[in-house]
Amino acid sequence: MFEWFMNLDTWVQALIAGLFTWFVTALGASLVFFFKNIHKNILGMMYGLASGVMVAASFWSLLAPGIEIAEEQGRIAWLVAAIGFGLGGLFLFGADKLIPHIHFGKQHTKEGVPTKLKRTILLVFSITLHNIPEGLAIGVAFGAIGFLSGSVEVATISAIALAIGIGIQNFPEGAAVSIPLSNEKMGRKKAFFLGQASAIVEPIAAVIGAILVNSMQVILPYALAFAAGAMIYVVVEELIPEAQENADSGTHYAVFGFMIGFIIMMILDVALG
């Protein structure tokens, strides 16, 4: 089975990995059929776990390989990483200002260009925005397989570990989207549909990322750092504030959720990659 997967084109591998993370999101969103509410401490821990996974993945799965490839290409590795990382954050900042959406949380602050779209759609747009860098991260990780030192098998396992890590954090994330939406005066079926639909962008972004780095190999280290910067932007701008806001017994639940997520992703990447 693994050999069959390794023989596929990298963009097909990225597509399969992206579909996996979308499927796990749908599984998490399906919890809306079994639970009416999520305790705020649990919700805070969920967001914290997602943050921890993304921070760990940003370094071990993206920045570190990007620095390694930049060094092999004879570039100034720290400069390449800094440029790519900064551009990733600026990309998400620009998307925040252009794409209409509304954040979860008490303030429900609207961002992006003015629109008359329904509030629930704007909420889904918000979660979709931060699924884009996750999809890109998967795509560039698979696109980098042939350019990392060491065996192709190890590099493939490392990319798979990244997809598994993102899938793990997508499960509670799917629930954290769909269950609150079910309390927005909509049925559970619609809440599930919107919750899972927020992650459909991941396989699309994964394919785009893999194709880009394969067709323009010179951008690979920049692309890896770019995906890392975009993910960190999402963590700091949205996930951590949500984690702290939703933990009503102090921020301890959010902190321990972050630490658990970080440990899980670190183990996956270091042990498997």
Side-chain angles (χ1 to χ4, degrees):
M1 182 69 177
F2 182 65
E3 290 182 1
W4 167 82
F5 184 80
M6 285 185 61
N7 290 327
L8 297 173
D9 290 338
T10 53
W11 74 266
V12 179
Q13 293 174 338
L15 174 62
I16 293 173
L19 288 172
F20 164 75
T21 58
W22 163 78
F23 175 71
V24 178
T25 304
L27 284 180
S30 69
L31 293 182
V32 73
F33 297 113
F34 305 98
F35 301 96
K36 187 175 181 180
N37 294 295
I38 304 179
H39 192 281
K40 292 196 71 176
N41 287 334
I42 300 299
L43 190 58
M45 183 173 283
M46 286 179 171
Y47 280 118
L49 186 144
S51 301
V53 168
M54 291 178 72
V55 169
S58 294
F59 176 73
W60 273 286
S61 298
L62 299 170
L63 273 178
I67 291 172
E68 177 187 328
I69 293 172
E71 289 174 343
E72 291 175 353
Q73 292 178 346
R75 300 170 183 269
I76 304 174
W78 61 264
L79 182 60
V80 171
I83 292 173
F85 190 86
L87 288 175
L90 287 174
F91 171 78
L92 260 292
F93 175 77
D96 261 344
K97 297 301 179 184
L98 292 175
I99 299 175
H101 62 285
I102 185 171
H103 290 290
F104 288 90
K106 296 177 182 178
Q107 302 302 319
H108 295 299
T109 306
K110 289 185 178 181
E111 292 187 15
V113 297
T115 180
K116 294 183 179 180
L117 290 173
K118 292 182 179 180
R119 181 171 172 274
T120 53
I121 301 299
L122 295 178
L123 286 169
V124 173
F125 277 5
S126 176
I127 201 73
T128 299
L129 264 179
H130 86 238
N131 281 330
I132 293 175
E134 292 174 15
L136 286 174
I138 292 171
V140 296
F142 278 97
I145 287 174
F147 307 97
L148 292 169
S149 60
S151 71
V152 173
E153 181 177 342
V154 170
T156 303
I157 292 174
S158 181
I160 292 173
L162 172 63
I164 292 173
I166 290 177
I168 289 172
Q169 65 100 18
N170 275 6
F171 182 83
E173 192 173 88
V177 174
S178 63
I179 294 177
L181 283 178
S182 69
N183 296 319
E184 297 280 342
K185 296 181 180 181
M186 68 171 66
R188 293 187 176 187
K189 289 183 179 179
K190 185 175 181 181
F192 165 76
F193 175 78
L194 293 175
Q196 62 82 31
S198 66
I200 198 64
V201 70
E202 288 193 11
I204 298 171
V207 170
I208 293 172
I211 291 175
L212 280 176
V213 297
N214 271 313
S215 60
M216 295 182 287
Q217 297 172 10
V218 68
I219 71 167
L220 179 54
Y222 293 97
L224 286 162
F226 178 95
M231 288 176 68
I232 293 298
Y233 181 94
V234 169
V235 169
V236 178
E237 200 265 347
E238 185 170 348
L239 293 182
I240 288 179
E242 288 295 335
Q244 294 182 330
E245 181 179 305
N246 282 289
D248 61 1
S249 298
T251 60
H252 297 93
Y253 285 89
V255 172
F256 284 122
F258 179 95
M259 294 182 71
I260 291 169
F262 190 95
I263 290 170
I264 289 173
M265 189 64 233
M266 178 179 63
I267 291 173
L268 280 173
D269 208 299
V270 176
L272 298 182

